[in-house]
Amino acid sequence: MPLREDLATARRRDPAARGGFEIWLTYSGLHAIWGYRLAHRLWRARLKLLARVVSQYTRFLTGIEIHPGATIGRRFFIDHGMGVVIGETAEIGDDVMLYHGVTLGGVSGDKVKRHPTLGDRVVVGAGAALLGPITIGDDSVVGANAVVRVDAPPHSLLVGVPASPRPQKRATAASFDYAI
């Protein structure tokens, strides 16, 4: 059941999480994901105006904007999500974690793939901007406030402005869950 999986993901990802009821009641990142799922179903059913209304209402309540056309995998978690923006053609793999202020944005107004693709087990630090139709490989880590405009292979570490991919030395993305 997605709800139980969402609550378990929050417990696993957030060391401050105390219990399922508190998580269900107070985690705006989960509320945004639940609102996205409803909006995404409406989007796929070609009820695009209604999907956008649900999306904007969810944004009003949570401070997190997820376009209903985005594609998001399982066990996605947004920690302290205020200011997160996920564009229409963004694709997010399984077990991805975003911190507050992350932008998965486009750089073109054309009706093409214009937002990032994140592989599985990617962690994106606070304030990072990933811009354009780039691909971030599995098990990569994007540091806080990085600006990423280039593809990165799996197991990359991306830091700086502009960020360039470097191989991770000793750690995996999972070990950075609480460090960024």
Side-chain angles (χ1 to χ4, degrees), residues 62-166:
T62 65
I64 298 168
E65 182 170 352
I66 305 173
H67 192 285
T71 303
I72 298 177
R74 294 178 59 195
R75 295 174 302 277
F76 176 55
F77 186 65
I78 303 171
D79 195 15
H80 302 290
M82 183 61 78
V84 168
V85 177
I86 299 172
E88 177 182 10
T89 62
E91 298 175 45
I92 299 173
D94 295 336
D95 301 300
V96 171
M97 181 170 176
L98 305 182
Y99 286 87
H100 64 277
V102 168
T103 299
L104 303 180
V107 294
S108 168
D110 298 335
K111 292 190 180 275
V112 295
K113 169 79 169 135
R114 60 190 184 282
H115 299 96
T117 297
L118 306 183
D120 296 336
R121 297 169 304 280
V122 172
V123 176
V124 183
L130 289 74
L131 305 172
I134 60 174
T135 299
I136 306 301
D138 296 348
D139 301 298
S140 292
V141 175
V142 178
N145 295 312
V147 177
V148 184
R149 295 277 318 260
V150 296
D151 291 343
H155 305 284
S156 291
L157 174 63
L158 295 114
V159 294
V161 180
S164 56
R166 299 175 241 201

Side-chain angles (χ1 to χ4, degrees), residues 12-23:
R12 184 171 53 84
R13 292 290 195 157
D14 186 357
R18 290 192 293 233
F21 182 70
E22 180 180 344
I23 293 167

